[in-house]
């Protein structure tokens, strides 16, 4: 996997990679990670991937991280691990 660039963001660590004909966007928040894969054939270049990181998308990413944390905490409590 080839590192393309870090994408500055105040809340998340966002990295863009290229691998096997795809751009891979990794968004990290604490112990959680969301990964999105985009075929290089579907976009003109990596700038198109960056353009997709609009406010609506990042708001949904934020909500998804919150849901991931809720699910993780619930399974820990349900199984008496936490």
């Amino acid at each position: 996997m080839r590192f393309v660039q870090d994408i500055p963001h105040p809340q998340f660590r966002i990295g863009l990679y290229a691998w096997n004909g795809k751009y891979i966007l990794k968004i990290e928040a604490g112990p959680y990670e969301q990964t999105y894969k985009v075929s290089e054939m579907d976009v003109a270049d990596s700038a198109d991937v960056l353009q997709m990181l609009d406010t609506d998308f990042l708001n949904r990413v934020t909500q998804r991280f919150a849901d991931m944390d809720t699910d993780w905490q619930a399974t820990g409590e349900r199984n008496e691990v936490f």
Side-chain angles (χ1 to χ4, degrees):
M1 188 169 356
R2 179 177 61 86
F3 173 77
V4 176
Q5 73 180 87
D6 278 322
I7 301 159
H9 190 274
Q11 189 175 1
F12 307 125
R13 180 170 186 234
I14 304 175
L16 183 62
Y17 302 84
W19 181 71
N20 203 22
K22 293 183 177 89
Y23 287 111
I24 300 171
L25 185 70
K26 291 187 177 197
I27 306 172
E28 298 176 47
Y32 307 113
E33 177 179 284
Q34 295 177 44
T35 303
Y36 298 86
K37 298 177 183 177
V38 180
S39 172
E40 290 178 354
M41 302 297 287
D42 291 341
V43 293
D45 56 30
S46 62
D48 285 351
V49 177
L50 301 181
Q51 185 177 346
M52 295 171 69
L53 301 178
D54 63 14
T55 301
D56 289 340
F57 175 76
L58 291 172
N59 285 341
R60 293 289 299 144
V61 166
T62 301
Q63 183 58 53
R64 198 165 292 109
F65 276 128
D67 292 344
M68 290 169 75
D69 185 59
T70 298
D71 294 345
W72 185 246
Q73 294 302 319
T75 194
E77 292 170 8
R78 199 172 42 251
N79 292 287
E80 300 178 355
V81 175
F82 305 139

